[in-house]
Amino acid sequence: MVVFLLLGFLDVITGALMLAIHLGFLHEWRLTVIGTAYLIGKGLLLRGSFLSILDVLAGVYFILIMLGIRTFLVYVFLIIMVYKFVTSLMMRGWG
């Protein structure tokens, strides 16, 4: 259960990083590569659910943000990441 809490926390950090790069607060490409590798790796490792597919899509969109494509999807993926964190808190019994 602690692993799910950690993964949920990392999801929120990655979502916030995605938003910061989208809004232009950060311009660090190394953070984008780390965030992308985390999302795609986790999505492929824990495949079999719809949320894992969304992780892979978020990772691909993170690459697109780095290439300059910015749409409303960053907010959708941020909401999904926060949802996954809240769900991991409820699974842990903190909600």
Side-chain angles (χ1 to χ4, degrees):
M1 291 296 192
V2 175
V3 173
F4 290 118
L5 184 63
L6 177 66
L7 290 176
F9 183 67
L10 288 174
D11 283 340
V12 169
I13 290 174
T14 306
L17 180 65
M18 188 184 298
L19 182 64
I21 291 173
H22 171 80
L23 294 175
F25 295 138
L26 292 176
H27 300 286
E28 185 63 39
W29 65 270
R30 290 177 188 94
L31 293 174
T32 305
V33 171
I34 291 170
T36 300
Y38 166 73
L39 287 171
I40 292 175
K42 187 179 73 149
L44 293 176
L45 185 66
L46 301 174
R47 66 183 175 268
S49 71
F50 181 67
L51 290 176
S52 295
I53 294 170
L54 290 178
D55 280 339
V56 173
L57 291 176
V60 170
Y61 183 70
F62 210 172
I63 292 171
L64 294 176
I65 288 175
M66 185 176 72
L67 296 175
I69 297 173
R70 289 162 169 51
T71 65
F72 71 96
L73 289 176
V74 72
Y75 302 108
V76 172
F77 287 125
L78 180 64
I79 290 169
I80 291 169
M81 299 297 168
V82 170
Y83 166 76
K84 289 168 59 175
F85 176 65
V86 169
T87 303
S88 69
L89 283 178
M90 290 192 317
M91 283 180 19
R92 179 77 176 150
W94 291 356

